[in-house]
Amino acid sequence: MKLNRREFLALTGKTAAGAVIFAACGLPERELIVQSPVDLPEDLVRGEDAWYATSMGDFTNGDGVLVRVMQGRAKKIEGNPDHPVNRGKATARYDSALQLLYSPDRIREPMLRYSKAGNLVGITWEQADTRFREALANADGALTVVTNPIRGHLGSVASKFAEQFNGKYMPFDPVEQGVLHGAVKSVFGQDQLPTFDISNAQTVLSFGADWLGTWGSPAQFGVKFGEFREQSDRGYLIHAEPRMSLTAAAADLWLAPIPGTEGDLALGIASVIIDEGLVSPQNVAAFDVAVSGGLNNYGVTDVASRTGISVDRIEMAARRFADHTPAVAFGGGSAGAHTNGSFNLGAIYALNVLVGAIDSAGGVVPNPGSAFGDVSASATGEPFEAWESEIANWRAGNVETVIIRGTDIVHGMPNSVAIREALDQVPNVIVFGAVHDDTMDFADLVLPELTFLETWGTDIPEPGPGYQVVGTQQPVVAPTIKRDESGLISNARGFGDTLLAMSDGSYGSSMERIVSDALSDLHDTGRGSVSASTAKLFTNGVMQRGGWWDTSEKGSSSVGKVMAAKKNAEYSETGSLGTGDDFYLAPFLSNSLLDGRLAASPWAQQTPDPVSSASWSTWAEINSIEAKDLGIREGDVLLIRSNSGEIEVLAYPHPGVRPGVIGIPIGQGHKNGGRYAEERGSNVLSILVDEKDSETGALAWAATRVRVQRAGRRVKVPKFEGNVEARPIEPGVPVLVVGIGETSEEAEKANHYEYQKRFLGKEKEADSNE
């Protein structure tokens, strides 16, 4: 069912007393008056479907979605056409996340491990609550709460809960974005990530970030990219990345620099622009302030030598970027995942100063802070340097209780930190989740968690659309009964509600109450996209629409400096790794599994990679010419060895990889994770070395050098493309032509034998001679 915005509002606005006024998305004027919906049970059998607006929390960067519910069952997730972030667009990952709700591997009840060497056994929630309280009573000052990076009120609850017990709140992201946030802060003076006005740009220059595939909100960027291509000259996209990602495949000019030299490439482009006088002296002066040390040693010839990009291609990119404005430059992903990641991203974002793209249409647009005073509008993982220190405390027995939610930290941490050994030394490890994962093997208490389709919450998109936005999350289904009606699929509870039940109550009694109070506060401001006479009507209206936004509340920025001393990338050594050939390792997020959080979904597992079409496995992208020289064929099992360990992958040679680089997707290699994920593929995160960004201490997850060796075996790569060998096919024999008054026998004797000889050739002649 396709819904446009007006149809959606008409469907959800039914009957009640009082009117709610909705402003058009992205426009300050009022457009349509509808009435707030009455409360109806979602499992009411009416012979028609119902649509509920909500947010996806852990699986997107703030996209708004509509969930189709039929007879109490969620059937489909689509983009919310009224939400200003993704504007009705969706990705394949939406429906993959839906499968987690009905997964046959969902944890059915709380489980307890009575000793570190024992097995998990089922217990009641009453017993689980008692054990949880005991763990908290012993943990004052020795508590760590670990989650994925969470914005909105759930992140606020987790932080306040840790603070109540004098503990730490430590968000974890295996491919942390701290370097990106640091670069934005130093160059633009912003705490929130800005939005990039791709829709109105003539030229887009991006580095490392696969923004059409996995970086940020691909649904949001996809909408903007469509508008970018609808311009009269189609716009011009330049993308720099060592491997051909989905974004690189869509580029008009793809540059494949040596990994870690993206900052050099950015300053080489700036050097050409300045030397050829392609921008105003005022812009050059502002750029010189932002880039301390100037452009000495960044002449185009020197940069071409360091990056492996030809002079002609660097000059082509520079002239296009400066001559066809508005233009915008941004980077992230692998470009910031080096020991000089802060320098790389700082240099990239400084290009916007050079072309006057800050706070302008078609350039970098700042985002405002949170609409709620106690809720952050930004979230990222703690730097790897801080994690090394924290895990050392676990290993030393200095932490009594660790609470983990939303991240499989055992799967996500490199072998170098010995996370398994550290968890063994923590007396109380409490893990929330929907499906058993690798971290739960080290848990003392496992608590089944409700999915985003069953809980209350808020989300603040990052990056936002350039103005204040609050997304809402609401339960769209009741607790789900098994098909045989023998009980619930999962007797689960929400993470936030469980923490609040264990808290002193000073920051809320339930997530529903917290969300309701927060929306009531928004109502009192008298501004934004929804207007209503009472707070209750306002809350219904916001939930009905999937969020609230104020197009008049915008951010501001100020030009700063590139704060990074280290300009040259460093990599791990490979001298002691035995036989093989050396490569730069380029891990990348899976387009279907992301960092592995969707590995339990069979739809995610079978979704083909958009470049290789591979699925259900871990493959290695290697340059096809280089592979031929090394005797590597598709499907060869390769041993990938680093100073932190070894994994096996399947070779996938193709031309869209820079020679000397081997690209491996993140997301597989789970010991547990349900029947669709366990023991499938390899975990590339485990072999990353402990190199860090020099400025932020973030993990330099693209700074690992590996030695590659053939294992002597071959396995067919599961993929949706293939080569079909050409085989000779016997041609058809023409229909027998029978003349007037002629029998079929006579016609065959007259001409059919000649047809057979002509079409079947010598083989038929041989048969006749016998």
Side-chain angles (χ1 to χ4, degrees), residues 740-761:
I740 297 176
E742 189 178 33
T743 66
S744 60
E745 291 81 3
E746 292 171 337
E748 183 175 3
K749 290 178 181 178
N751 57 35
H752 193 56
Y753 184 71
E754 294 300 321
Y755 282 135
Q756 289 179 319
K757 285 173 59 179
R758 185 186 312 167
F759 284 94
L760 304 183

Side-chain angles (χ1 to χ4, degrees), residues 300-323:
V300 66
T301 303
D302 291 338
V303 169
S305 176
R306 291 199 293 270
T307 63
I309 306 294
S310 70
V311 170
D312 289 344
R313 291 171 73 81
I314 295 174
E315 291 177 341
M316 183 190 309
R319 291 165 185 153
R320 180 75 201 199
F321 183 66
D323 287 342

Side-chain angles (χ1 to χ4, degrees), residues 604-620:
Q605 288 282 0
Q606 74 180 16
T607 300
D609 179 80
V611 175
S612 67
S613 83
S615 61
W616 292 101
S617 63
T618 303
W619 64 95

Side-chain angles (χ1 to χ4, degrees), residues 327-661:
V328 62
F330 58 93
S334 61
H338 293 278
T339 58
N340 65 338
S342 289
F343 163 72
N344 287 341
L345 295 190
I348 291 164
Y349 282 104
L351 287 173
N352 294 289
V353 180
L354 191 59
V355 296
I358 299 177
D359 289 352
S360 65
V364 179
V365 179
N367 275 301
S370 172
F372 308 111
D374 60 343
V375 177
S376 175
S378 182
T380 187
E382 289 292 319
F384 186 67
E385 191 171 63
W387 273 110
E388 287 181 314
S389 176
E390 177 65 21
I391 292 173
N393 281 328
W394 297 1
R395 196 179 304 112
N398 296 330
V399 176
E400 181 73 19
T401 299
V402 172
I403 301 170
I404 302 173
R405 179 266 172 201
T407 181
D408 188 355
I409 194 170
V410 168
H411 178 269
M413 280 288 183
N415 290 336
S416 62
V417 299
I419 183 67
R420 296 168 179 83
E421 293 79 2
L423 286 171
D424 276 338
Q425 301 306 312
V426 178
N428 302 295
V429 178
I430 302 172
V431 182
F432 289 77
V435 177
H436 194 101
D437 61 24
D438 293 351
T439 303
M440 291 179 185
D441 279 351
F442 301 87
D444 302 286
L445 180 62
V446 172
L447 301 178
E449 183 186 3
L450 294 172
T451 69
F452 69 95
L453 295 170
E454 304 166 289
T455 53
W456 295 91
T458 59
D459 193 13
I460 300 175
E462 188 177 32
Y467 48 86
Q468 227 167 42
V469 175
V470 175
T472 52
Q473 179 180 307
Q474 61 176 321
V476 301
V477 293
T480 307
I481 304 295
K482 297 178 185 176
R483 285 184 178 275
D484 60 5
E485 299 185 353
S486 61
L488 296 176
I489 287 179
S490 175
N491 183 21
R493 294 180 182 176
F495 172 66
D497 285 327
T498 303
L499 293 190
L500 291 169
M502 297 291 160
S503 74
D504 59 11
S506 62
Y507 40 93
S509 57
S510 70
M511 289 303 299
E512 181 180 6
R513 183 75 261 171
I514 288 175
V515 172
S516 177
D517 290 346
L519 295 182
S520 179
D521 291 342
L522 277 184
H523 169 260
D524 292 343
T525 66
R527 60 187 179 90
S529 55
V530 178
S531 300
S533 57
T534 68
K536 183 177 180 180
L537 288 175
F538 177 86
T539 298
N540 283 349
V542 172
M543 289 294 178
Q544 171 184 320
R545 199 174 192 189
W548 170 97
W549 33 92
D550 185 356
T551 58
S552 64
E553 189 69 23
K554 302 180 182 297
S556 61
S557 59
S558 59
V559 177
K561 291 186 177 182
V562 178
M563 303 297 290
K566 182 182 277 298
K567 298 183 178 181
N568 298 319
E570 296 177 354
Y571 302 90
S572 58
E573 297 292 334
T574 58
S576 60
L577 297 179
T579 305
D581 300 281
D582 290 350
F583 287 81
Y584 296 101
L585 176 61
F588 61 94
L589 288 173
S590 164
N591 273 271
S592 56
L593 308 180
L594 294 175
D595 57 4
R597 72 191 76 170
L598 285 171
S601 166
W603 284 347
Q605 288 282 0
Q606 74 180 16
T607 300
D609 179 80
V611 175
S612 67
S613 83
S615 61
W616 292 101
S617 63
T618 303
W619 64 95
E621 299 175 355
I622 183 173
N623 182 270
S624 51
I625 296 176
E626 189 171 24
K628 183 177 181 180
D629 293 340
L630 296 174
I632 295 174
R633 298 181 298 165
E634 182 178 307
D636 281 351
V637 177
L638 302 180
L639 303 178
I640 311 296
R641 199 176 296 123
S642 78
N643 291 326
S644 291
E646 179 182 284
I647 60 173
E648 290 187 357
V649 298
L650 304 181
Y652 182 79
H654 80 117
V657 187
R658 180 184 176 84
V661 173

Side-chain angles (χ1 to χ4, degrees), residues 106-237:
R106 280 194 73 174
I107 301 170
R108 298 184 179 182
E109 59 187 354
M111 294 184 289
L112 177 66
R113 197 187 310 273
Y114 287 96
S115 68
K116 288 292 185 182
N119 295 322
L120 288 168
V121 296
I123 59 174
T124 66
W125 267 106
E126 289 74 17
Q127 292 171 309
D129 288 343
T130 299
R131 185 59 183 263
F132 202 150
R133 288 191 176 91
E134 291 172 354
L136 292 173
N138 299 326
D140 188 39
L143 169 75
T144 304
V145 178
V146 181
T147 72
N148 55 316
I150 311 172
R151 298 173 303 276
H153 283 89
L154 185 59
S156 175
V157 167
S159 177
K160 291 176 180 177
F161 183 84
E163 183 181 354
Q164 177 189 334
F165 291 93
N166 299 313
K168 295 180 182 177
Y169 177 47
M170 299 275 293
F172 173 69
D173 181 0
V175 287
E176 61 182 274
Q177 302 298 308
V179 175
L180 172 62
H181 285 76
V184 167
K185 178 69 172 177
S186 66
V187 177
F188 303 135
Q190 299 173 24
D191 293 319
Q192 288 77 40
L193 297 183
T195 190
F196 309 108
D197 192 10
I198 296 168
S199 304
N200 295 307
Q202 292 292 310
T203 308
V204 173
L205 174 57
S206 54
F207 296 75
D210 183 15
W211 48 276
L212 289 176
T214 58
W215 190 75
S217 169
Q220 176 187 21
F221 286 126
V223 173
K224 293 181 177 182
F225 185 67
E227 293 168 342
F228 173 75
R229 288 302 197 196
E230 287 175 353
Q231 298 177 99
S232 58
D233 63 352
R234 291 188 71 251
Y236 195 86
L237 171 60

